[in-house]
Amino acid sequence: MRNATSLLPAVAALLLLAACGSEPAGAPEGGASGAGASAAGGGSGGASAVPVTDPPVDGVRITSVTLPSATPSPTPSGFSVHADRLPAAGSGISAAYEVTNHGTEALTYTILFDFTTDTGEVMGNLRETVRSVGPGATRRGTVRLGAPGPGSSRVGRVRVARVTKVPAAEAPPAPGACPRSGIRLTADDGDAAMGLRVVGLRLENCGKRDYALDGYPLLELLDEDLAPVRGIRILRGSGGIGTGTGFDAPARPLVLKPGESAVSGLMWRNTTGSGTAVDVPYVRVRAKRGAGPVTVTPHLDLGTTGRLAVRAWTRPSS
């Protein structure tokens, strides 16, 4: 049988280690600065919201940022415990925001939020759409990035990277929604390679009647104030901008039965030479003459080329 006296040093060491391990993590750090906010939480596994006082961007303002607090590391270093900058399980990074419409008609806003480190490195971004904000109205919401993976750089700021806004009556429909017209027109995120840009347009007959097409979508290019952009040639077909793209297929009559779709597209080059480069954030699209307009936001960086190609409506390839 072991002597009880010999156990005393071991028990004392265990008590000392437990006492050191129960000390709280370092003091919270945070505060609003620059284009976003920097924050850290208080207690273990918790989080704290830090108010943000930065000016709005096109009517969109971040009001507070919430980041997970530091959590104690279970790995001792001598008889001390350090704090890992990783969020507790189930926690995440979020920002509260508000959208105020200072215009005279209802608008739908699409907002790109950047989640960055304190040095400005973008670790993630999210796009939020806020629909039908009336004149003078303010709408509030929260955007959540979620918990970063192990080893990720610590996010310390959230900023409004870009805001686009279109008349609510001309906004592309929400996913799964069918407009009164029975025709759903949307644009994809586009593709870019070697200076060639292509954005796809998709038309879906979500109604109950057949829908006839015979030609090209009709386009109106708009600046950031939704005023017409002049001096850009809209070419039917590729116009020599790119080859092997399918843009030179001739227009053919189409009848879309309920549930069927057609596709078109926009193509341009971002080439800059002499003159002033032109950027077109908005394109007002009509599926055909007499159809209601839908304003999409492809952000055409046309450079100094002065040309935009449009593809005829065609059935999507299988």
Side-chain angles (χ1 to χ4, degrees), residues 107-120:
L107 298 172
T108 288
Y109 292 74
T110 300
I111 310 149
L112 182 67
F113 294 93
D114 279 350
F115 293 74
T116 77
T117 64
D118 285 334
T119 58

Side-chain angles (χ1 to χ4, degrees), residues 141-193:
T142 301
V143 61
R144 292 180 174 85
L145 182 64
S152 299
S153 298
R154 179 171 171 80
V155 170
R157 300 170 184 263
V158 185
R159 68 188 180 205
V160 178
R162 186 170 68 195
V163 177
T164 55
K165 51 191 178 182
V166 302
E170 298 182 11
C178 186
R180 291 182 179 179
S181 64
I183 298 299
R184 180 166 47 223
L185 196 157
T186 56
D188 63 23
D189 290 334
D191 188 22

Side-chain angles (χ1 to χ4, degrees), residues 14-289:
L14 287 173
L15 291 174
L16 177 61
L17 176 60
C20 291
S22 65
E23 293 179 0
E29 59 184 55
S33 64
S38 182
S44 172
S48 63
V50 175
V52 178
T53 58
D54 296 337
V57 177
D58 262 353
V60 180
R61 185 172 72 89
I62 295 175
T63 56
S64 68
V65 172
T66 302
L67 301 180
S69 64
T71 57
S73 168
T75 305
S77 176
F79 287 115
S80 66
V81 175
H82 65 277
D84 286 333
R85 291 299 182 179
L86 293 177
S91 62
I93 302 157
S94 65
Y97 66 89
E98 63 182 27
V99 180
T100 301
N101 181 358
H102 298 288
T104 58
E105 63 177 328
L107 298 172
T108 288
Y109 292 74
T110 300
I111 310 149
L112 182 67
F113 294 93
D114 279 350
F115 293 74
T116 77
T117 64
D118 285 334
T119 58
E121 180 184 4
V122 178
M123 303 304 298
N125 49 53
L126 289 174
R127 184 178 285 108
E128 289 279 297
T129 298
V130 183
R131 298 183 177 276
S132 300
V133 182
T138 295
R139 299 266 291 276
R140 296 175 177 84
T142 301
V143 61
R144 292 180 174 85
L145 182 64
S152 299
S153 298
R154 179 171 171 80
V155 170
R157 300 170 184 263
V158 185
R159 68 188 180 205
V160 178
R162 186 170 68 195
V163 177
T164 55
K165 51 191 178 182
V166 302
E170 298 182 11
C178 186
R180 291 182 179 179
S181 64
I183 298 299
R184 180 166 47 223
L185 196 157
T186 56
D188 63 23
D189 290 334
D191 188 22
M194 301 293 290
L196 181 68
R197 289 12 180 183
V198 179
V199 166
L201 301 176
R202 187 176 186 88
L203 187 70
E204 301 174 70
N205 184 353
C206 56
K208 299 180 179 179
R209 301 179 181 178
D210 291 354
Y211 192 80
L213 294 168
D214 186 10
Y216 297 80
L218 305 178
L219 310 178
E220 186 179 2
L221 308 186
L222 306 174
D223 65 16
E224 59 185 12
D225 296 319
L226 298 175
V229 175
R230 310 295 183 188
I232 305 300
R233 293 174 59 202
I234 298 176
L235 309 171
R236 292 189 168 187
S238 71
I241 293 175
T243 59
T245 59
F247 271 63
D248 287 322
R252 302 182 187 279
L254 295 176
V255 176
L256 302 182
K257 296 185 177 301
E260 293 184 337
S261 300
V263 294
S264 175
L266 312 177
M267 181 170 63
W268 70 99
R269 285 195 179 274
N270 177 25
T271 304
T272 302
S274 60
T276 302
V278 176
D279 291 325
V280 178
Y282 303 99
V283 179
R284 181 175 284 140
V285 183
R286 288 178 170 82
K288 62 180 181 180
R289 193 170 302 279

